[in-house]
Amino acid sequence: TMRVACDNLVENTVFFGNKDMGFLPFMNYPGISAAMLPEGSGGSTQWSKKTPIEIFSDINNALVSIWKNSRTIFKPTTVFVDPDSYALLSQPAVIGNPSSTAVLTSTLEYTLNNATVRRLTNRPLEIIPLRYLTGAGTGGTNRMIVMDRSRKNQCLPFPMPFTLSQPVPADLAAKLFTETKFGSYHVRQQGSIAYFDGL
C-alpha cells in the first residue's frame, strides 16, 4: 500500500507538477511551444474527422518540425497521444489511390514504417497512449506530445528510490516507515519536445 501511494505521488507530480514545491509539469512545461494542428479537408483539426493520410501528415510534420527547428540536432521518435486518438490510429485504413496502388493497412503501421525521422535515425518510432492528454490542449482539445526522449534532453532527479525500512516492533504490532526523494521533471533541452493541440 505504501509503495502504491509513493508511485501515485510520483506519477501525479511528474505529469502535473507541484506549485508548492516548485515542481514543473510534463503536461504543460513552461517555455515549450504549443501549436494547433492544421485543419483537414473536413474543416476540423480533430483526427476523428480527418483522413488517414492527414493524420499521418500531422504526426510526421510534428516530428519533422522539431528536427528542422533544432537545425537537425534533435530527432524525435517518441509520440504521446490520448487513448481515443491512439485507438483511431489502429483502425484499418486505405493509404493511396483506391483505384490503383492502394495499400490496406492502419494509420499506426503506416506511420511507424514511413515517418521521415524513422528513416533518418533507423530507430523505431514509438506512439504511446497517455490518458492525461485527453482535454489537456488549448480550449480543452486533446494534446499530442512529441519528443526526442533521452537523458541528455530530459530527466527526473531521483536520488533515493522507494525504500522500506525494517519493521519497528510495537505493542502487538509493527511500525513500518518508508522514504523516497525525487525532484522536479526537468527539460534540459527545450527544443527536444513540443506540444500539438486539436486532436
Side-chain angles (χ1 to χ4, degrees):
T1 300
M2 298 166 80
R3 177 58 187 259
V4 170
C6 178
D7 289 345
N8 289 341
L9 174 64
V10 173
E11 180 175 332
N12 186 72
T13 302
V14 168
F15 286 117
F16 301 104
N18 185 308
K19 290 184 179 180
D20 294 336
M21 297 294 296
F23 286 8
L24 302 176
F26 170 78
M27 299 290 298
N28 193 22
Y29 198 88
I32 302 300
S33 64
M36 287 294 290
L37 294 174
E39 292 183 355
S41 56
S44 174
T45 64
Q46 296 178 10
W47 282 2
S48 60
K49 299 177 182 176
K50 286 188 172 182
T51 66
I53 200 65
E54 288 174 340
I55 296 173
F56 165 76
S57 295
D58 283 347
I59 298 173
N60 192 55
N61 291 340
L63 293 164
V64 169
S65 70
I66 291 182
W67 176 60
K68 289 171 59 178
N69 292 340
S70 68
R71 296 184 180 273
T72 72
I73 293 174
F74 301 120
K75 299 176 179 67
T77 54
T78 304
V79 179
F80 294 95
V81 297
D82 64 279
D84 287 338
S85 297
Y86 185 83
L88 283 173
L89 293 175
S90 300
Q91 294 180 354
V94 175
I95 306 295
N97 187 343
S99 63
S100 57
T101 58
V103 177
L104 180 60
T105 180
S106 68
T107 309
L108 179 62
E109 286 300 319
Y110 187 82
T111 303
L112 294 177
N113 292 323
N114 293 282
T116 302
V117 176
R118 162 73 174 86
R119 297 178 182 277
L120 284 171
T121 62
N122 202 28
R123 298 197 314 258
L125 185 66
E126 293 182 289
I127 301 180
I128 304 168
L130 179 58
R131 62 177 181 254
Y132 298 128
L133 291 175
T134 301
T138 305
T141 60
N142 297 337
R143 168 164 284 182
M144 174 171 63
I145 300 178
V146 178
M147 62 192 305
D148 184 346
R149 189 163 59 169
S150 165
R151 292 180 180 180
K152 296 178 181 179
N153 301 331
Q154 311 91 20
C155 68
L156 177 66
F158 222 124
M160 180 184 286
F162 177 82
T163 304
L164 178 65
S165 65
Q166 292 295 323
V168 177
D171 294 339
L172 301 176
K175 295 181 179 179
L176 299 174
F177 298 91
T178 65
E179 187 177 8
T180 188
K181 294 180 181 178
F182 64 95
S184 172
Y185 178 79
H186 177 57
V187 178
R188 289 172 165 166
Q189 302 290 341
Q190 292 200 354
S192 67
I193 181 172
Y195 301 134
F196 298 88
D197 299 340
L199 279 71

mmCIF file of all heavy atoms in Angstrom, residues 15-16 26-29 34 36 81-82 130-145 195-199:
data_model
loop_
_atom_site.group_PDB
_atom_site.id
_atom_site.type_symbol
_atom_site.label_atom_id
_atom_site.label_comp_id
_atom_site.label_asym_id
_atom_site.label_seq_id
_atom_site.Cartn_x
_atom_site.Cartn_y
_atom_site.Cartn_z
ATOM 1 N N PHE A 15 3.537 14.431 -13.990
ATOM 2 C CA PHE A 15 2.653 14.888 -15.058
ATOM 3 C C PHE A 15 2.066 16.270 -14.795
ATOM 4 O O PHE A 15 1.913 17.066 -15.721
ATOM 5 C CB PHE A 15 1.520 13.881 -15.274
ATOM 6 C CG PHE A 15 1.972 12.627 -15.968
ATOM 7 C CD1 PHE A 15 1.896 11.393 -15.338
ATOM 8 C CD2 PHE A 15 2.485 12.669 -17.246
ATOM 9 C CE1 PHE A 15 2.323 10.244 -15.980
ATOM 10 C CE2 PHE A 15 2.917 11.526 -17.897
ATOM 11 C CZ PHE A 15 2.835 10.309 -17.257
ATOM 12 N N PHE A 16 1.755 16.575 -13.537
ATOM 13 C CA PHE A 16 1.044 17.821 -13.233
ATOM 14 C C PHE A 16 1.846 18.805 -12.396
ATOM 15 O O PHE A 16 1.393 19.932 -12.168
ATOM 16 C CB PHE A 16 -0.283 17.499 -12.534
ATOM 17 C CG PHE A 16 -1.190 16.635 -13.356
ATOM 18 C CD1 PHE A 16 -1.333 15.294 -13.077
ATOM 19 C CD2 PHE A 16 -1.876 17.160 -14.446
ATOM 20 C CE1 PHE A 16 -2.166 14.479 -13.845
ATOM 21 C CE2 PHE A 16 -2.702 16.369 -15.217
ATOM 22 C CZ PHE A 16 -2.843 15.020 -14.917
ATOM 23 N N PHE A 26 5.186 17.869 -16.706
ATOM 24 C CA PHE A 26 5.453 17.312 -18.032
ATOM 25 C C PHE A 26 4.369 17.718 -19.033
ATOM 26 O O PHE A 26 4.642 17.961 -20.209
ATOM 27 C CB PHE A 26 5.514 15.787 -17.922
ATOM 28 C CG PHE A 26 5.539 15.064 -19.240
ATOM 29 C CD1 PHE A 26 6.711 14.979 -19.977
ATOM 30 C CD2 PHE A 26 4.407 14.438 -19.739
ATOM 31 C CE1 PHE A 26 6.743 14.301 -21.194
ATOM 32 C CE2 PHE A 26 4.430 13.767 -20.947
ATOM 33 C CZ PHE A 26 5.605 13.691 -21.674
ATOM 34 N N MET A 27 3.123 17.801 -18.561
ATOM 35 C CA MET A 27 1.987 18.065 -19.436
ATOM 36 C C MET A 27 1.957 19.472 -20.015
ATOM 37 O O MET A 27 1.405 19.706 -21.081
ATOM 38 C CB MET A 27 0.682 17.831 -18.664
ATOM 39 C CG MET A 27 0.515 16.413 -18.161
ATOM 40 S SD MET A 27 0.217 15.268 -19.492
ATOM 41 C CE MET A 27 -1.306 15.910 -20.098
ATOM 42 N N ASN A 28 2.528 20.410 -19.292
ATOM 43 C CA ASN A 28 2.475 21.815 -19.717
ATOM 44 C C ASN A 28 3.731 22.531 -19.226
ATOM 45 O O ASN A 28 3.662 23.483 -18.465
ATOM 46 C CB ASN A 28 1.211 22.475 -19.165
ATOM 47 C CG ASN A 28 0.930 23.810 -19.816
ATOM 48 O OD1 ASN A 28 1.397 24.093 -20.912
ATOM 49 N ND2 ASN A 28 0.193 24.652 -19.131
ATOM 50 N N TYR A 29 4.872 22.065 -19.685
ATOM 51 C CA TYR A 29 6.159 22.566 -19.194
ATOM 52 C C TYR A 29 6.391 23.996 -19.683
ATOM 53 O O TYR A 29 6.198 24.286 -20.864
ATOM 54 C CB TYR A 29 7.290 21.663 -19.676
ATOM 55 C CG TYR A 29 8.568 21.808 -18.902
ATOM 56 C CD1 TYR A 29 8.804 21.050 -17.761
ATOM 57 C CD2 TYR A 29 9.549 22.708 -19.308
ATOM 58 C CE1 TYR A 29 9.984 21.177 -17.045
ATOM 59 C CE2 TYR A 29 10.728 22.850 -18.601
ATOM 60 C CZ TYR A 29 10.943 22.073 -17.464
ATOM 61 O OH TYR A 29 12.112 22.216 -16.748
ATOM 62 N N ALA A 34 3.419 25.304 -27.991
ATOM 63 C CA ALA A 34 2.192 24.535 -28.233
ATOM 64 C C ALA A 34 1.532 25.096 -29.485
ATOM 65 O O ALA A 34 1.226 26.290 -29.550
ATOM 66 C CB ALA A 34 1.252 24.622 -27.037
ATOM 67 N N MET A 36 -1.488 24.531 -32.681
ATOM 68 C CA MET A 36 -2.696 23.827 -33.111
ATOM 69 C C MET A 36 -2.401 23.081 -34.406
ATOM 70 O O MET A 36 -1.701 23.586 -35.289
ATOM 71 C CB MET A 36 -3.844 24.815 -33.331
ATOM 72 C CG MET A 36 -4.440 25.368 -32.053
ATOM 73 S SD MET A 36 -5.280 24.130 -31.038
ATOM 74 C CE MET A 36 -6.713 23.779 -32.057
ATOM 75 N N VAL A 81 -0.065 10.354 -27.343
ATOM 76 C CA VAL A 81 -1.393 10.823 -27.742
ATOM 77 C C VAL A 81 -2.414 10.305 -26.733
ATOM 78 O O VAL A 81 -2.149 9.374 -25.967
ATOM 79 C CB VAL A 81 -1.779 10.355 -29.168
ATOM 80 C CG1 VAL A 81 -0.835 10.939 -30.210
ATOM 81 C CG2 VAL A 81 -1.799 8.841 -29.256
ATOM 82 N N ASP A 82 -3.598 10.898 -26.744
ATOM 83 C CA ASP A 82 -4.669 10.453 -25.864
ATOM 84 C C ASP A 82 -5.195 9.091 -26.329
ATOM 85 O O ASP A 82 -5.004 8.707 -27.490
ATOM 86 C CB ASP A 82 -5.797 11.485 -25.842
ATOM 87 C CG ASP A 82 -6.440 11.638 -27.204
ATOM 88 O OD1 ASP A 82 -5.874 12.368 -28.049
ATOM 89 O OD2 ASP A 82 -7.495 11.021 -27.429
ATOM 90 N N LEU A 130 -1.530 8.022 -23.659
ATOM 91 C CA LEU A 130 -1.386 8.611 -22.325
ATOM 92 C C LEU A 130 -2.712 9.249 -21.932
ATOM 93 O O LEU A 130 -3.151 10.211 -22.565
ATOM 94 C CB LEU A 130 -0.267 9.664 -22.325
ATOM 95 C CG LEU A 130 0.006 10.396 -21.018
ATOM 96 C CD1 LEU A 130 0.362 9.418 -19.906
ATOM 97 C CD2 LEU A 130 1.127 11.416 -21.208
ATOM 98 N N ARG A 131 -3.347 8.710 -20.915
ATOM 99 C CA ARG A 131 -4.705 9.123 -20.562
ATOM 100 C C ARG A 131 -4.817 10.590 -20.189
ATOM 101 O O ARG A 131 -5.857 11.206 -20.381
ATOM 102 C CB ARG A 131 -5.256 8.256 -19.427
ATOM 103 C CG ARG A 131 -4.489 8.341 -18.123
ATOM 104 C CD ARG A 131 -5.158 7.497 -17.048
ATOM 105 N NE ARG A 131 -4.464 7.574 -15.772
ATOM 106 C CZ ARG A 131 -3.716 6.606 -15.287
ATOM 107 N NH1 ARG A 131 -3.564 5.502 -15.967
ATOM 108 N NH2 ARG A 131 -3.125 6.727 -14.105
ATOM 109 N N TYR A 132 -3.758 11.158 -19.671
ATOM 110 C CA TYR A 132 -3.827 12.543 -19.205
ATOM 111 C C TYR A 132 -3.881 13.560 -20.351
ATOM 112 O O TYR A 132 -4.120 14.748 -20.117
ATOM 113 C CB TYR A 132 -2.624 12.856 -18.317
ATOM 114 C CG TYR A 132 -2.568 12.013 -17.065
ATOM 115 C CD1 TYR A 132 -1.415 11.311 -16.742
ATOM 116 C CD2 TYR A 132 -3.668 11.891 -16.225
ATOM 117 C CE1 TYR A 132 -1.351 10.530 -15.598
ATOM 118 C CE2 TYR A 132 -3.612 11.115 -15.077
ATOM 119 C CZ TYR A 132 -2.456 10.432 -14.773
ATOM 120 O OH TYR A 132 -2.404 9.661 -13.645
ATOM 121 N N LEU A 133 -3.667 13.125 -21.581
ATOM 122 C CA LEU A 133 -3.664 14.056 -22.710
ATOM 123 C C LEU A 133 -5.069 14.381 -23.219
ATOM 124 O O LEU A 133 -5.242 15.291 -24.019
ATOM 125 C CB LEU A 133 -2.826 13.487 -23.858
ATOM 126 C CG LEU A 133 -1.329 13.425 -23.580
ATOM 127 C CD1 LEU A 133 -0.593 12.737 -24.716
ATOM 128 C CD2 LEU A 133 -0.766 14.825 -23.348
ATOM 129 N N THR A 134 -6.076 13.662 -22.735
ATOM 130 C CA THR A 134 -7.459 13.961 -23.110
ATOM 131 C C THR A 134 -7.866 15.299 -22.516
ATOM 132 O O THR A 134 -7.848 15.484 -21.298
ATOM 133 C CB THR A 134 -8.415 12.860 -22.604
ATOM 134 O OG1 THR A 134 -8.025 11.603 -23.170
ATOM 135 C CG2 THR A 134 -9.839 13.173 -22.988
ATOM 136 N N GLY A 135 -8.187 16.251 -23.380
ATOM 137 C CA GLY A 135 -8.604 17.575 -22.926
ATOM 138 C C GLY A 135 -7.489 18.440 -22.378
ATOM 139 O O GLY A 135 -7.750 19.493 -21.793
ATOM 140 N N ALA A 136 -6.229 18.036 -22.568
ATOM 141 C CA ALA A 136 -5.106 18.782 -21.987
ATOM 142 C C ALA A 136 -4.623 19.924 -22.862
ATOM 143 O O ALA A 136 -3.790 20.724 -22.435
ATOM 144 C CB ALA A 136 -3.936 17.835 -21.724
ATOM 145 N N GLY A 137 -5.153 20.036 -24.080
ATOM 146 C CA GLY A 137 -4.678 21.045 -25.007
ATOM 147 C C GLY A 137 -5.463 22.339 -24.948
ATOM 148 O O GLY A 137 -6.365 22.524 -24.120
ATOM 149 N N THR A 138 -5.134 23.248 -25.832
ATOM 150 C CA THR A 138 -5.789 24.553 -25.917
ATOM 151 C C THR A 138 -7.283 24.399 -26.131
ATOM 152 O O THR A 138 -7.714 23.627 -26.986
ATOM 153 C CB THR A 138 -5.184 25.369 -27.072
ATOM 154 O OG1 THR A 138 -3.759 25.454 -26.897
ATOM 155 C CG2 THR A 138 -5.766 26.769 -27.118
ATOM 156 N N GLY A 139 -8.066 25.115 -25.337
ATOM 157 C CA GLY A 139 -9.514 25.072 -25.480
ATOM 158 C C GLY A 139 -10.132 23.735 -25.143
ATOM 159 O O GLY A 139 -11.227 23.417 -25.619
ATOM 160 N N GLY A 140 -9.446 22.941 -24.324
ATOM 161 C CA GLY A 140 -9.980 21.640 -23.942
ATOM 162 C C GLY A 140 -9.833 20.559 -24.994
ATOM 163 O O GLY A 140 -10.430 19.491 -24.876
ATOM 164 N N THR A 141 -9.048 20.829 -26.040
ATOM 165 C CA THR A 141 -8.807 19.818 -27.065
ATOM 166 C C THR A 141 -7.774 18.815 -26.563
ATOM 167 O O THR A 141 -7.112 19.030 -25.541
ATOM 168 C CB THR A 141 -8.298 20.457 -28.362
ATOM 169 O OG1 THR A 141 -7.056 21.152 -28.088
ATOM 170 C CG2 THR A 141 -9.303 21.454 -28.917
ATOM 171 N N ASN A 142 -7.649 17.712 -27.274
ATOM 172 C CA ASN A 142 -6.648 16.719 -26.914
ATOM 173 C C ASN A 142 -5.265 17.177 -27.364
ATOM 174 O O ASN A 142 -5.129 17.899 -28.352
ATOM 175 C CB ASN A 142 -6.984 15.367 -27.539
ATOM 176 C CG ASN A 142 -8.303 14.815 -27.021
ATOM 177 O OD1 ASN A 142 -8.761 15.184 -25.939
ATOM 178 N ND2 ASN A 142 -8.918 13.947 -27.796
ATOM 179 N N ARG A 143 -4.255 16.739 -26.647
ATOM 180 C CA ARG A 143 -2.884 17.184 -26.910
ATOM 181 C C ARG A 143 -2.011 16.012 -27.351
ATOM 182 O O ARG A 143 -2.155 14.891 -26.871
ATOM 183 C CB ARG A 143 -2.300 17.825 -25.650
ATOM 184 C CG ARG A 143 -0.799 18.081 -25.673
ATOM 185 C CD ARG A 143 -0.377 19.055 -24.594
ATOM 186 N NE ARG A 143 -0.745 20.416 -25.001
ATOM 187 C CZ ARG A 143 -0.468 21.504 -24.285
ATOM 188 N NH1 ARG A 143 0.153 21.403 -23.136
ATOM 189 N NH2 ARG A 143 -0.826 22.699 -24.727
ATOM 190 N N MET A 144 -1.098 16.286 -28.274
ATOM 191 C CA MET A 144 -0.058 15.332 -28.672
ATOM 192 C C MET A 144 1.284 15.893 -28.225
ATOM 193 O O MET A 144 1.554 17.085 -28.406
ATOM 194 C CB MET A 144 -0.068 15.135 -30.198
ATOM 195 C CG MET A 144 1.076 14.276 -30.709
ATOM 196 S SD MET A 144 0.914 13.843 -32.481
ATOM 197 C CE MET A 144 0.996 15.456 -33.275
ATOM 198 N N ILE A 145 2.112 15.047 -27.637
ATOM 199 C CA ILE A 145 3.451 15.455 -27.214
ATOM 200 C C ILE A 145 4.465 14.678 -28.034
ATOM 201 O O ILE A 145 4.404 13.448 -28.123
ATOM 202 C CB ILE A 145 3.677 15.197 -25.711
ATOM 203 C CG1 ILE A 145 2.661 15.982 -24.878
ATOM 204 C CG2 ILE A 145 5.103 15.575 -25.310
ATOM 205 C CD1 ILE A 145 2.767 15.749 -23.386
ATOM 206 N N TYR A 195 4.464 20.539 -28.069
ATOM 207 C CA TYR A 195 3.069 20.154 -27.884
ATOM 208 C C TYR A 195 2.262 20.528 -29.133
ATOM 209 O O TYR A 195 2.491 21.579 -29.745
ATOM 210 C CB TYR A 195 2.468 20.902 -26.690
ATOM 211 C CG TYR A 195 3.170 20.679 -25.373
ATOM 212 C CD1 TYR A 195 3.473 21.756 -24.542
ATOM 213 C CD2 TYR A 195 3.529 19.407 -24.946
ATOM 214 C CE1 TYR A 195 4.101 21.568 -23.320
ATOM 215 C CE2 TYR A 195 4.156 19.216 -23.740
ATOM 216 C CZ TYR A 195 4.448 20.289 -22.919
ATOM 217 O OH TYR A 195 5.078 20.103 -21.717
ATOM 218 N N PHE A 196 1.306 19.669 -29.482
ATOM 219 C CA PHE A 196 0.428 19.923 -30.615
ATOM 220 C C PHE A 196 -0.993 19.631 -30.165
ATOM 221 O O PHE A 196 -1.292 18.522 -29.706
ATOM 222 C CB PHE A 196 0.825 19.071 -31.816
ATOM 223 C CG PHE A 196 2.213 19.372 -32.327
ATOM 224 C CD1 PHE A 196 3.314 18.714 -31.799
ATOM 225 C CD2 PHE A 196 2.404 20.317 -33.306
ATOM 226 C CE1 PHE A 196 4.592 19.003 -32.246
ATOM 227 C CE2 PHE A 196 3.676 20.617 -33.772
ATOM 228 C CZ PHE A 196 4.772 19.965 -33.243
ATOM 229 N N ASP A 197 -1.879 20.615 -30.314
ATOM 230 C CA ASP A 197 -3.241 20.520 -29.801
ATOM 231 C C ASP A 197 -4.259 20.410 -30.935
ATOM 232 O O ASP A 197 -3.970 20.727 -32.085
ATOM 233 C CB ASP A 197 -3.569 21.741 -28.942
ATOM 234 C CG ASP A 197 -2.661 21.866 -27.738
ATOM 235 O OD1 ASP A 197 -2.047 20.833 -27.363
ATOM 236 O OD2 ASP A 197 -2.555 22.974 -27.164
ATOM 237 N N GLY A 198 -5.464 19.970 -30.562
ATOM 238 C CA GLY A 198 -6.552 19.922 -31.516
ATOM 239 C C GLY A 198 -6.925 18.537 -31.992
ATOM 240 O O GLY A 198 -7.765 18.395 -32.866
ATOM 241 N N LEU A 199 -6.285 17.492 -31.441
ATOM 242 C CA LEU A 199 -6.556 16.123 -31.892
ATOM 243 C C LEU A 199 -8.023 15.760 -31.720
ATOM 244 O O LEU A 199 -8.639 16.112 -30.738
ATOM 245 C CB LEU A 199 -5.692 15.124 -31.123
ATOM 246 C CG LEU A 199 -4.249 14.954 -31.602
ATOM 247 C CD1 LEU A 199 -3.437 16.178 -31.282
ATOM 248 C CD2 LEU A 199 -3.632 13.730 -30.969
#
